[in-house]
Amino acid sequence: VKPNSKFVVKWKVDSNRQKNITHTAVHYGAKPVAGELSADVAPAQSGYTDLIATYASSNNTVPNSFSSSILAGSKGAMYARAHVIVDGKNYWSEEKSIKLE
Protein backbone atom coordinates (compact mmCIF):
# COMPACT_ATOMS: atom_id res chain seq x y z
CA VAL A 1 0.00 0.00 0.00
CA LYS A 2 1.28 3.46 -0.81
CA PRO A 3 1.80 5.68 2.25
CA ASN A 4 -0.89 8.30 2.91
CA SER A 5 -3.38 6.65 0.53
CA LYS A 6 -6.74 4.95 1.11
CA PHE A 7 -7.13 1.20 0.69
CA VAL A 8 -10.04 -1.18 1.16
CA VAL A 9 -10.14 -3.78 3.91
CA LYS A 10 -12.58 -6.71 3.73
CA TRP A 11 -13.41 -9.19 6.47
CA LYS A 12 -15.88 -12.01 6.86
CA VAL A 13 -17.53 -13.21 10.05
CA ASP A 14 -18.63 -16.84 9.86
CA SER A 15 -21.21 -18.46 12.10
CA ASN A 16 -22.94 -21.84 12.04
CA ARG A 17 -26.24 -20.02 12.61
CA GLN A 18 -27.51 -16.50 12.13
CA LYS A 19 -26.72 -14.16 15.04
CA ASN A 20 -27.31 -10.49 15.69
CA ILE A 21 -24.22 -8.41 16.45
CA THR A 22 -23.82 -4.82 17.60
CA HIS A 23 -20.14 -4.40 16.75
CA THR A 24 -17.60 -5.46 14.19
CA ALA A 25 -14.52 -3.53 13.14
CA VAL A 26 -10.93 -3.82 12.03
CA HIS A 27 -8.64 -2.54 14.78
CA TYR A 28 -5.20 -1.39 13.66
CA GLY A 29 -2.06 0.49 14.62
CA ALA A 30 1.61 1.06 13.88
CA LYS A 31 2.82 -1.55 16.39
CA PRO A 32 2.15 -5.30 16.34
CA VAL A 33 0.18 -6.97 19.14
CA ALA A 34 1.75 -10.35 19.83
CA GLY A 35 -0.17 -13.59 20.26
CA GLU A 36 -3.85 -14.42 20.22
CA LEU A 37 -6.42 -12.10 21.69
CA SER A 38 -8.93 -14.02 23.82
CA ALA A 39 -12.65 -13.45 24.30
CA ASP A 40 -11.77 -11.56 27.50
CA VAL A 41 -9.86 -8.86 25.60
CA ALA A 42 -12.08 -5.84 24.91
CA PRO A 43 -11.13 -3.42 22.10
CA ALA A 44 -9.81 -0.78 24.52
CA GLN A 45 -7.42 -3.40 25.95
CA SER A 46 -6.26 -4.78 22.59
CA GLY A 47 -3.22 -2.54 22.12
CA TYR A 48 -4.42 -1.14 18.78
CA THR A 49 -4.79 2.63 18.49
CA ASP A 50 -7.39 2.93 15.70
CA LEU A 51 -10.38 1.17 14.21
CA ILE A 52 -12.58 1.22 11.14
CA ALA A 53 -15.79 2.52 12.70
CA THR A 54 -18.18 1.88 9.77
CA TYR A 55 -19.91 -1.02 11.55
CA ALA A 56 -18.64 -0.39 15.08
CA SER A 57 -22.02 0.56 16.50
CA SER A 58 -24.64 -0.79 14.16
CA ASN A 59 -26.98 -3.76 14.17
CA ASN A 60 -25.92 -6.45 11.70
CA THR A 61 -26.26 -10.18 11.40
CA VAL A 62 -23.61 -12.83 10.86
CA PRO A 63 -22.55 -14.74 8.89
CA ASN A 64 -21.76 -11.72 6.77
CA SER A 65 -18.99 -9.93 4.88
CA PHE A 66 -17.91 -6.37 5.61
CA SER A 67 -15.65 -3.83 3.92
CA SER A 68 -14.46 -0.29 4.49
CA SER A 69 -11.43 1.86 3.76
CA ILE A 70 -8.45 2.96 5.83
CA LEU A 71 -6.20 5.94 5.24
CA ALA A 72 -2.68 4.53 5.42
CA GLY A 73 -0.05 6.26 7.50
CA SER A 74 3.50 7.09 6.51
CA LYS A 75 6.14 4.56 5.42
CA GLY A 76 6.62 1.47 7.56
CA ALA A 77 3.89 -0.98 8.46
CA MET A 78 0.41 -1.22 9.90
CA TYR A 79 -0.93 -4.15 11.90
CA ALA A 80 -4.60 -5.10 12.02
CA ARG A 81 -7.17 -7.63 13.26
CA ALA A 82 -10.86 -8.05 12.58
CA HIS A 83 -13.04 -8.06 15.68
CA VAL A 84 -16.68 -8.93 16.39
CA ILE A 85 -18.78 -9.14 19.53
CA VAL A 86 -21.23 -12.07 19.50
CA ASP A 87 -23.41 -12.83 22.52
CA GLY A 88 -21.26 -10.50 24.63
CA LYS A 89 -17.96 -12.25 23.74
CA ASN A 90 -15.08 -10.74 21.80
CA TYR A 91 -13.71 -12.67 18.84
CA TRP A 92 -10.47 -11.63 17.13
CA SER A 93 -8.83 -12.71 13.89
CA GLU A 94 -5.15 -13.38 13.48
CA GLU A 95 -3.05 -10.25 13.07
CA LYS A 96 -2.24 -9.16 9.53
CA SER A 97 0.53 -6.76 8.55
CA ILE A 98 0.31 -4.19 5.77
CA LYS A 99 3.54 -2.81 4.27
CA LEU A 100 3.50 0.89 3.50
CA GLU A 101 6.03 1.59 0.78
Side-chain angles (χ1 to χ4, degrees):
V1 172
K2 293 184 184 222
N4 304 309
S5 66
K6 281 191 173 185
F7 65 98
V8 174
V9 176
K10 297 178 183 182
W11 67 104
K12 181 178 181 183
V13 181
D14 287 326
S15 176
N16 57 2
R17 58 190 156 122
Q18 189 171 6
K19 294 273 193 172
N20 292 319
I21 62 169
T22 57
H23 172 91
T24 187
V26 170
H27 297 260
Y28 62 96
K31 294 182 181 179
V33 175
E36 276 190 45
L37 294 181
S38 71
D40 297 335
V41 177
Q45 301 163 330
S46 71
Y48 295 104
T49 56
D50 296 293
L51 78 150
I52 297 174
T54 307
Y55 308 99
S57 48
S58 62
N59 292 312
N60 288 287
T61 58
V62 294
N64 207 342
S65 295
F66 304 90
S67 68
S68 194
S69 61
I70 295 178
L71 179 60
S74 57
K75 279 191 173 184
M78 293 174 65
Y79 301 88
R81 292 179 199 245
H83 171 250
V84 63
I85 300 174
V86 180
D87 295 335
K89 289 187 179 180
N90 296 287
Y91 294 91
W92 295 89
S93 72
E94 294 178 2
E95 184 175 78
K96 302 292 182 183
S97 63
I98 302 108
K99 286 187 180 182
L100 306 174
E101 36 184 59

